[in-house]
Amino acid sequence: MEEKLKIGIIGLGTVGQGTVKVLSKYDDIEIVSAAVKNLNKKRDVEVKHLTNDPFEIARNPEIQVVVEVAGGLEVLDVLIEAIKNKKHIVTANKELLARHGSMLFDLARENMVTILYEAA
């Protein structure tokens, strides 16, 4: 049996929920956990584990890829922690990359992980 790619998501708003809907269609991907601001908020998707501590995603040894869709600069320290824990990063956070991209890409190179980014 093929091992699943284990993903943690930071942010479960409109974009995060859309991401869960798309990724849930793939048998070889498992969304392990999602970090949210409000644990009690009603959502249109289900994730196995919700937390309000994004560092839980960054430190979870089971997670291989962190998808960051929370936006803003508040996630910088979380992504640094995730990279130091050898997790690949996928983000659409233009502000974060504009301000801290060089440092994050250098850190990713040092830790032999990849940062992927895309935004419309």
Side-chain angles (χ1 to χ4, degrees):
M1 183 175 171
E2 192 175 308
E3 190 173 315
K4 292 185 177 195
L5 179 66
K6 310 272 177 133
I7 295 177
I9 297 180
I10 298 173
L12 207 51
T14 302
V15 175
Q17 289 182 69
T19 301
V20 169
K21 287 176 185 175
V22 170
L23 294 178
S24 295
K25 295 177 183 178
Y26 295 90
D27 293 335
D28 56 348
I29 293 176
E30 179 182 347
I31 300 168
V32 174
S33 185
V36 298
K37 286 183 181 177
N38 181 349
L39 292 170
N40 298 315
K41 182 177 176 182
K42 173 100 173 84
R43 295 178 174 82
D44 293 333
V45 296
E46 269 194 52
V47 174
K48 184 165 56 171
H49 175 72
L50 290 181
T51 179
N52 59 1
D53 180 6
F55 284 96
E56 204 176 298
I57 303 287
R59 294 177 181 137
N60 184 328
E62 186 180 10
I63 292 172
Q64 300 162 293
V65 177
V66 173
V67 176
E68 183 274 312
V69 289
L73 297 175
E74 303 83 32
V75 295
L76 176 62
D77 290 337
V78 176
L79 294 186
I80 289 170
E81 183 77 12
I83 292 168
K84 287 180 177 178
N85 282 291
K86 310 292 189 214
K87 297 182 188 328
H88 302 284
I89 306 296
V90 178
T91 184
N93 192 329
K94 297 180 284 290
E95 181 181 21
L96 181 78
L97 293 178
R99 293 180 187 241
H100 302 288
S102 294
M103 180 270 297
L104 288 170
F105 283 104
D106 288 345
L107 187 62
R109 212 172 358 269
E110 289 170 21
N111 286 278
M112 298 189 304
V113 297
T114 303
I115 297 175
L116 299 175
Y117 57 94
E118 180 80 31

